[in-house]
Amino acid sequence: MTETRRKRILSGMRSTGRLHLGNFVGALENWVKMQGEYENFHLVADWHVLTTDAESVREILPNTLEMVRDWLAAGIDPAASPMFRQSQIKEHAELHLIFSMLITQARLERNPTLKEQIRDLRDKLKARELDEPQEGEVSDAGLITYGHLGYPVLQAADILLYKGDVVPVGEDQLPHVEITREIARRFNRYYGDVFLEPEPHVLAETKFSRLPGPDGRRMSKSLGNTIYLSDSEEETGRRIMSMFTDPQKVRKHDPGRPEICNVFTYHEKFNPEEAPQIEKDCRSGALGCVACKKNCTAKLNAYLRPMRERRAQYDDRRVLEVLADGETRARAVATETMREVHEAMRVG
Ligand code: TRP
């Protein structure tokens, strides 16, 4: 294969609904930055949601629409980068089925993300107060579904269907990319060279990639400490004003320690020009926390304003149009890959 094409990125997120600043800084911002350099395919993993939550399907579509709205708001250009739902391209299911024959159960049971997901699943069951036996009474194998075990196999199909050269992922997803590479190798060995082994691109762990929420813990939906890209300016202000700061800086003129202050982390990220001066004035006691937070709110809202304006332009109908267009383009690639798969296997 001597195609000369721009390297292709396949990135994906499960449909989780509106995105918060932590998602933006940890992933989405990188997607936007990589747009010029690569050809980008952005996948909504809506079937993957079923692995941990097969009953609650009502939220999947609304969550998809909210999430894609945030992708668009953040500046992903739908003309350049197709955005599409896994569930709308049935080739994912076919390739997943074929791949499921190319990996052992034992290998999938060793996948470290499985244990974590099992823990989440147990928590979720408990929270719903279903009549769930106590931990320990049901084995892991008795709790997870067949599809859940195959989570990384479906992800391998997502990636290889588009022949993604690069997969931007957080550290936690590396085991899935490794499984993808193993499946690609085995497929090629059995049937002939169809797939390239994709390279993981680990999203740099900067001091911001685990952005603290207003309470100082890592921002996360389940902790309820989020600032959403779609929050109003007033809501954002309330969140910033409630942020934890240096507990030793009680009065305005007390000297503060910016290195342990979350508001200062936000200044470094969203207000980098003023950050050095703010650092000095906090330490000297010239700057009080209230003024500092007001400034932080203004800067963060200014940073988010273009995104929020763009977001407002996309109602459900327009988001669905973006998806339909992305799905047409993704499907063309997917059917071509499946043609090669059928040819190599002489099946299908
Ligand atoms: N498992 C990924 C996550 O939870 C989501 C995902 C599904 C994905 N398919 C993908 C990521 C393909 C990258 C490529 O974050």
Side-chain angles (χ1 to χ4, degrees), residues 206-341:
T206 65
K207 63 191 292 192
F208 306 117
S209 51
R210 281 162 195 277
L211 193 75
D215 59 356
R217 294 186 293 175
R218 182 185 183 185
M219 191 179 285
S220 131
K221 199 174 184 172
S222 55
L223 293 175
N225 61 352
T226 43
I227 297 176
Y228 287 103
L229 298 182
S230 50
D231 278 344
S232 68
E233 299 204 351
E234 295 68 36
E235 180 61 35
T236 305
R238 273 196 296 277
R239 292 293 208 167
I240 297 289
M241 297 312 284
S242 77
M243 272 178 112
F244 281 29
T245 53
D246 180 356
Q248 283 180 18
K249 186 168 164 69
V250 181
R251 285 168 226 277
K252 176 179 169 186
H253 296 296
D254 292 342
R257 295 168 296 172
E259 68 277 10
I260 62 158
C261 177
N262 295 315
V263 180
F264 186 65
T265 305
Y266 277 52
H267 277 298
E268 285 182 292
K269 172 69 194 164
F270 301 107
N271 184 21
E273 296 83 37
E274 288 180 14
Q277 190 61 42
I278 289 168
E279 179 167 14
K280 265 191 224 132
D281 293 346
C282 172
R283 277 191 211 291
S284 71
L287 177 65
C289 291
V290 173
C292 181
K293 286 174 166 178
K294 283 192 175 146
N295 184 23
C296 183
T297 300
K299 296 299 178 337
L300 180 58
N301 277 329
Y303 188 96
L304 294 174
R305 201 164 296 135
M307 294 191 214
R308 289 168 171 167
E309 283 170 6
R310 217 171 305 138
R311 199 177 197 283
Q313 294 166 13
Y314 286 98
D315 58 10
D316 284 357
R317 194 181 51 80
R318 278 198 70 193
V319 176
L320 282 166
E321 280 169 10
V322 166
L323 286 170
D325 172 61
E327 284 153 10
T328 304
R329 288 150 70 193
R331 196 173 293 113
V333 178
T335 29
E336 172 54 22
T337 302
M338 286 317 291
R339 197 190 55 70
E340 292 173 30
V341 166

Side-chain angles (χ1 to χ4, degrees), residues 39-171:
E39 184 187 8
N40 290 267
F41 277 61
H42 297 299
L43 167 131
V44 179
D46 53 354
W47 274 338
H48 271 113
V49 176
L50 300 173
T51 56
T52 44
D53 215 355
E55 308 175 312
S56 340
V57 288
R58 199 152 359 118
E59 290 305 310
I60 294 181
L61 181 60
N63 280 346
T64 295
L65 296 177
E66 289 294 355
M67 184 173 79
V68 174
R69 218 190 309 282
D70 280 328
W71 292 1
L72 291 159
I76 298 193
D77 173 8
S81 310
M83 298 171 220
F84 56 97
R85 288 164 287 182
Q86 185 185 45
S87 67
Q88 297 308 301
I89 297 171
K90 307 304 177 191
E91 284 78 3
H92 288 260
E94 186 185 354
L95 195 57
H96 168 257
L97 175 116
I98 293 169
F99 284 173
S100 71
M101 317 295 171
L102 303 181
I103 186 147
T104 64
Q105 179 179 335
R107 176 68 184 88
L108 292 173
E109 281 168 352
R110 279 205 310 276
N111 167 26
T113 64
L114 188 69
K115 288 268 176 287
E116 226 168 276
Q117 291 181 333
I118 288 170
R119 209 176 328 118
D120 288 354
L121 203 58
R122 286 195 192 277
D123 290 349
K124 212 170 270 177
L125 286 169
K126 268 191 219 124
R128 278 199 227 133
E129 293 180 342
L130 294 182
D131 194 12
E132 168 64 5
Q134 291 306 296
E135 194 155 343
E137 288 181 25
V138 167
S139 67
D140 289 351
L143 189 68
I144 59 165
T145 63
Y146 172 60
H148 196 173
L149 184 67
Y151 186 109
V153 186
L154 182 56
Q155 188 163 344
D158 296 341
I159 296 167
L160 295 176
L161 201 45
Y162 302 96
K163 301 200 173 168
D165 302 284
V166 178
V167 186
V169 286
E171 287 276 349

